[in-house]
Amino acid sequence: IGLLTNLKVLSLGRNNLDGTMPTQLGTMTSLQTIGLEQNSISGPIPPHLGRMKELRHVHLDDNNLSGVVPTEIAKLEKLIKLTIQKNELEGNMPTDICAINSLELVLVDCDEVLFCSCCTLCETIDQCFEVSSRGDVCQVRMEDNFNNLDVVIEVRSYGNHSFLVIDDVEHVEEQWAVPIVLNDAGDLSIAAGVPDVTCDGILKDRTMKDDSQLTFTEIPDHPCTQFGKNIIYFMIMEWFYFGR
């Protein structure tokens, strides 16, 4: 594999790979993306990743990697995303890595990596897998006190971290439905021109709340998780109601 010096993307996630990461990776100096997520790779994260100056995306999550996060990763001045959660890593995230100007997303297990000043997601991605504690559907009734409107908004899970949000399930002729997909990095990709958002952003910054105009009530037969409620609230504010 080290002979592929012009290769730019190495995507081998979900392939039941085991063993350690080969040292030959350090010779692949044109590589921009490493995707080895959801395998059974063990051993340390090799320091020679720091030689691969073109790397933008490093996805090593959901493996059996151990040891500390190597400081050499800080040499990757073009790094944008680093996902290393769901491993057996320990110690602190090197502060020099957090100083990389291009860095946008860092995912770790916060109970294992003891200190990480730049981590944007700490295990919370698991909280965006389920929309309801009872089945695959959650519903919220929204009452608009200014415009005398009363609608039920639903989010439905279709597996593989894909969802559909429907803005008025009681009136079929007036329905709008928007698909949403959660990827392994914690990003939510949303159709219909809605701005993309992260799982962490939905959980932290989009909490459903009543105000002088809107009142929300959960439907008892289809209770929502925090993610379910917040994704509905996000869609109300960004598209269904105020964003279109």
Side-chain angles (χ1 to χ4, degrees), residues 32-238:
Q32 297 180 7
T33 298
I34 293 179
L36 297 174
E37 71 281 359
Q38 296 186 34
N39 284 296
S40 298
I41 301 170
S42 57
I45 297 176
H48 58 250
L49 289 184
R51 306 175 196 160
M52 305 164 71
K53 304 296 187 182
E54 296 300 315
L55 273 179
R56 274 87 161 165
H57 304 275
V58 178
H59 300 298
L60 306 176
D61 46 286
D62 207 349
N63 278 286
N64 299 316
L65 296 169
S66 58
V68 300
V69 181
T71 57
E72 286 81 1
I73 290 179
K75 298 177 181 178
L76 304 177
E77 297 179 355
K78 299 179 181 180
L79 188 64
I80 297 173
K81 294 184 178 181
L82 174 65
T83 62
I84 53 176
Q85 77 278 16
K86 297 185 179 179
N87 281 291
E88 300 173 13
L89 300 168
E90 58 186 7
N92 296 335
M93 176 69 70
T95 56
D96 287 347
I97 293 178
C98 290
I100 299 174
N101 291 331
S102 57
L103 201 58
E104 295 179 0
L105 181 74
V106 183
L107 277 63
V108 302
D109 297 311
C110 291
D111 57 347
E112 300 294 338
V113 177
L114 301 179
F115 176 77
C116 180
S117 62
C118 62
C119 292
T120 52
L121 195 62
C122 298
E123 295 185 304
T124 54
I125 189 171
D126 292 347
Q127 299 176 36
C128 295
F129 292 167
E130 304 289 341
V131 297
S132 175
S133 58
R134 189 186 304 165
D136 297 325
V137 176
C138 93
Q139 293 180 342
V140 170
R141 181 176 298 279
M142 182 190 76
E143 297 178 65
D144 182 341
N145 304 308
F146 290 180
N147 297 301
N148 196 28
L149 292 176
D150 186 335
V151 297
V152 173
I153 302 172
E154 173 181 294
V155 55
R156 181 180 295 268
S157 173
Y158 285 94
N160 296 320
H161 307 158
S162 62
F163 311 94
L164 189 69
V165 187
I166 305 170
D167 76 330
D168 190 352
V169 296
E170 294 181 319
H171 302 91
V172 175
E173 70 278 4
E174 298 177 8
Q175 280 185 6
W176 292 85
V178 175
I180 298 174
V181 176
L182 172 69
N183 67 23
D184 294 333
D187 298 319
L188 286 159
S189 179
I190 306 173
V194 179
D196 289 348
V197 68
T198 65
C199 166
D200 200 47
I202 287 290
L203 293 174
K204 291 182 178 180
D205 303 325
R206 296 290 181 162
T207 302
M208 180 177 284
K209 54 184 179 292
D210 297 343
D211 56 33
S212 59
Q213 179 175 355
L214 302 179
T215 303
F216 300 97
T217 308
E218 288 191 66
I219 307 298
D221 289 341
H222 300 291
C224 296
T225 62
Q226 189 65 46
F227 170 67
K229 288 189 290 186
N230 286 14
I231 196 66
I232 287 175
Y233 188 70
F234 173 78
M235 291 302 298
I236 288 169
M237 295 299 163
E238 294 292 339

Side-chain angles (χ1 to χ4, degrees), residues 1-7 10 20-31 34 36 46-49 51-52:
I1 194 170
L3 298 177
L4 303 174
T5 55
N6 293 320
L7 189 69
L10 179 66
T20 60
M21 294 179 65
T23 58
Q24 292 89 341
L25 284 174
T27 66
M28 303 173 70
T29 53
S30 297
L31 207 61
I34 293 179
L36 297 174
H48 58 250
L49 289 184
R51 306 175 196 160
M52 305 164 71

